[in-house]
Amino acid sequence: MVMKGKKGVILGVANNKSIAYGIAQACAAQGAQIAFTYLNDSLKKRVEPIAAEFGSADYVYPCDVSKPEEIKALKESLEKDLGQIDFIVHSIAFAPKEGLSGRFMDISKEAFDIAMDISVYSLIEVVRELKPLLSENSSVLTLSYYGGVKYIPNYNLMGVAKAALEMTTKYLAEDLGKDGIRVNAISAGPIKTLAAAGIGDFRFMLKWNEAHSPLKKNVTINEVGNSGMYLLSDLSSAVTGEIHYVDSGFNIMG
Ligand code: 0WD
């Protein structure tokens, strides 16, 4: 029970296919107490029963990260209901559809700004706002993808956002290390989720990864969840600023 006594908040559960759900399962299995957030009213109906599964029916809060007042309200609610917390999971990304297929150079400034705001800046803002609640031995985790390092067909705007997210992880890790806060990212292999459905020809990406990774298989949210749990727990107490691949080894292939 390596997460026993630890409390944290997971942002980005949309349904039980979400990577964040896999992380919640792994952390709960190791004894963590988890608070959940939902993006909007239609997702609230999905997230509430999921929270109840983890004994967290009383710890479910709205948080659209594009609205600073909702992040501030989340801090107030968490402080009141949980007090200090030990971990944050940021499993959120969004890009307008025009940024996920077609010609890269045609991306509008509006789409670019939205993707960077929701998928990158939100990590900085969430960490800054929740920092007063973070214990001196805490861990922050975000989710990236290899399309932030190398060209992946159709990943386009999200690739640029993930590159920025990975560097944000490293700069935050340096900034917060002196406060005992670790910041890491998992770069997960492709998984069929709601967010993935927005990416052009995603099925091809799955097939390609399966065929060309050393382990010859795609990853599951349970596998990402277990690795996430390690990064959130004291088992990884000397690990920070790391981009940890959970991708069946795909990234090592030439
Ligand atoms: O192949 C994949 N699925 C991979 C996903 C491979 C590698 C990384 N990732 C990343 C994603 O880019 C994202 O950062 O993992 C993270 C989680 O994505 P997911 O689990 O694949 O997708 P999903 O279950 O859809 O969860 C992402 C959620 C949103 O879902 P929808 O589908 O409603 O956009 O991010 C949340 C929302 O719940 N989200 C927001 N939350 C708060 N404020 C916002 C927002 N403004 N926008 C989206």
Side-chain angles (χ1 to χ4, degrees):
M1 296 292 262
V2 297
M3 296 296 279
K4 200 167 168 47
K6 290 201 182 282
K7 296 181 275 183
V9 60
I10 299 188
L11 295 88
V13 173
N15 56 35
N16 61 9
K17 307 267 187 299
S18 297
I19 292 174
Y21 180 79
I23 296 172
Q25 276 185 315
C27 290
Q30 291 296 321
Q33 181 174 16
I34 304 166
F36 293 87
T37 66
Y38 56 86
L39 166 60
N40 55 32
D41 279 345
S42 63
L43 285 178
K44 180 181 182 189
K45 283 177 237 135
R46 293 242 184 89
V47 177
E48 277 178 343
I50 287 175
E53 254 178 61
F54 297 103
S56 299
D58 295 335
Y59 308 114
V60 189
Y61 312 98
C63 189
D64 178 340
V65 294
S66 68
K67 298 178 178 151
E69 66 279 11
E70 293 199 9
I71 301 178
K72 285 191 164 43
L74 174 66
K75 185 247 171 188
E76 298 302 321
S77 304
L78 289 173
E79 187 163 30
K80 183 162 72 63
D81 297 345
L82 288 179
Q84 211 174 46
I85 59 171
D86 307 288
F87 64 91
I88 301 172
V89 176
H90 172 279
S91 186
I92 288 172
F94 178 77
K97 211 160 172 56
E98 66 167 273
L100 298 172
S101 60
R103 294 200 63 166
F104 180 75
M105 72 170 181
D106 290 336
I107 290 166
S108 67
K109 176 161 164 44
E110 195 195 354
F112 188 92
D113 289 348
I114 291 171
M116 295 298 278
D117 182 37
I118 295 176
S119 315
V120 185
Y121 187 71
S122 65
L123 175 64
I124 302 171
E125 198 167 9
V126 164
V127 168
R128 189 176 56 238
E129 292 302 327
L130 300 191
K131 183 169 178 297
L133 308 184
L134 284 171
S135 68
E136 238 190 61
N137 182 24
S138 54
S139 177
V140 176
L141 177 68
T142 189
L143 272 302
S144 190
Y145 178 58
Y146 192 50
V149 177
K150 296 276 182 180
Y151 169 83
I152 300 281
N154 295 316
Y155 203 60
N156 296 13
L157 176 54
M158 195 49 79
V160 176
K162 291 305 190 193
L165 181 71
E166 293 190 4
M167 281 317 293
T168 298
T169 301
K170 296 179 190 186
Y171 277 90
L172 277 177
E174 194 289 327
D175 192 14
L176 295 169
K178 53 179 138 350
D179 303 311
I181 302 166
R182 300 182 292 109
V183 187
N184 293 290
I186 283 182
S187 182
I191 302 175
K192 205 166 167 244
T193 62
L194 264 187
I199 300 159
D201 213 358
F202 186 75
R203 278 206 315 212
F204 176 76
M205 219 190 251
L206 280 173
K207 277 198 187 139
W208 186 266
N209 276 263
E210 188 177 2
H212 297 94
S213 63
L215 295 179
K216 301 282 175 260
K217 63 167 194 170
N218 280 311
V219 303
T220 66
I221 62 168
N222 297 2
E223 290 170 320
V224 178
N226 286 334
S227 298
M229 188 278 295
Y230 153 76
L231 288 170
L232 295 170
S233 77
D234 296 341
L235 291 173
S236 59
S237 56
V239 180
T240 195
E242 182 74 2
I243 313 300
H244 180 58
Y245 284 94
V246 181
D247 66 346
S248 299
F250 180 81
N251 72 95
I252 68 162
M253 302 302 278

